[in-house]
Amino acid sequence: MAVKATDFPPLQIDYAGARLAGVDEVGRGPLVGSVVAAAVILDPARPIDGLTDSKKLTARKREALDNLIREQALAFTVAEASAAEVDQLNIYHATHLAMRRAIDGLAPAAEYLLVDGNRLPGHALPGQAVVKGDARHPAIAAASILAKVARDAQMVALDMRYPEYGFARHKGYPTKEHLSALAVHGPLADHRRSFAPVQRQLALL
């Protein structure tokens, strides 16, 4: 049974200032491309309606909110760790690297972090990890939207270069279509060589 945001008690945040950054990532599961993270400091004077977990929104709604966040947030950054860094570090450490890069890119700088998930990314700033945070706090939701829109755009661009893989449809996740394309055409330079389905195809070459 899926865990919902309403299954958790109200979020208690040990910070009352205006420079709280929500942090989230997209792209841990795909076999190809970067893991993308975003950090967002929302403007308390300019709230944005409709912020929630990016996976619950249509692509059109995500893109509309992406524009609003970029126009109205106090600060935002989108950063990434490349497929090569995923292979070098592993996906867990590469995800935290992308998050730290996003946090470090904020201007003005954040004073406190709310990070989606159950672990902080090893940044010097104080903060807390929030399970299901993208459904429980608007700043984390905003970060999830920016990261999702950015990574989806990367997959659409990759699809234009390699239409036979179907990246615009499956966004790099290990769907039947993607695994079939891997078997027929082999891995691209953009594929994550440390991920098992890609490893298996490389072993056949």
Side-chain angles (χ1 to χ4, degrees):
M1 190 170 169
V3 178
K4 304 188 294 295
T6 51
D7 295 334
F8 295 90
L11 190 56
Q12 301 293 319
I13 301 170
D14 191 25
Y15 174 77
R19 282 157 63 182
L20 178 150
V23 184
D24 202 0
E25 55 71 31
V26 171
R28 289 179 69 138
L31 306 179
V32 68
S34 302
V35 58
V36 178
V40 179
I41 303 175
L42 293 173
D43 185 347
R46 304 178 77 192
I48 300 170
D49 290 333
L51 294 176
T52 188
D53 175 1
S54 63
K55 296 183 291 296
K56 296 179 180 176
L57 300 167
T58 64
R60 180 177 292 183
K61 184 64 173 173
R62 277 196 301 269
E63 287 162 13
L65 285 168
D66 181 270
N67 288 332
L68 274 177
I69 295 160
R70 289 170 180 271
E71 289 170 7
Q72 296 182 206
L74 287 177
F76 69 88
T77 313
V78 177
E80 61 188 67
S82 68
E85 288 173 320
V86 170
D87 290 338
Q88 178 186 356
L89 300 172
N90 75 38
I91 187 60
Y92 174 82
H93 291 296
T95 296
H96 283 185
L97 175 61
M99 286 181 169
R100 292 194 299 273
R101 285 171 172 165
I103 294 161
D104 287 342
L106 291 169
E111 294 177 343
Y112 193 84
L113 306 174
L114 285 185
V115 181
D116 186 60
N118 57 11
R119 296 283 179 88
L120 289 169
H123 199 278
L125 284 171
Q128 62 197 82
V130 183
V131 175
K132 300 293 285 186
D134 47 8
R136 297 172 67 195
H137 194 278
I140 303 177
S144 81
I145 290 164
L146 291 192
K148 173 71 171 160
V149 170
R151 193 177 193 285
D152 282 359
Q154 291 180 1
M155 289 297 99
V156 170
L158 197 61
D159 185 78
M160 292 176 72
R161 289 166 55 201
Y162 305 104
E164 64 273 20
Y165 287 82
F167 293 123
R169 290 183 293 277
H170 55 66
K171 304 301 190 291
Y173 285 90
T175 63
K176 282 185 178 180
E177 179 187 14
H178 190 182
L179 295 175
S180 176
L182 258 180
V184 172
H185 304 291
L188 299 167
D190 305 83
H191 275 101
R192 299 172 180 176
R193 273 137 174 75
S194 57
F195 280 41
V198 182
Q199 281 185 339
R200 285 195 290 270
Q201 290 305 316
L202 288 168
L204 298 173
L205 297 178

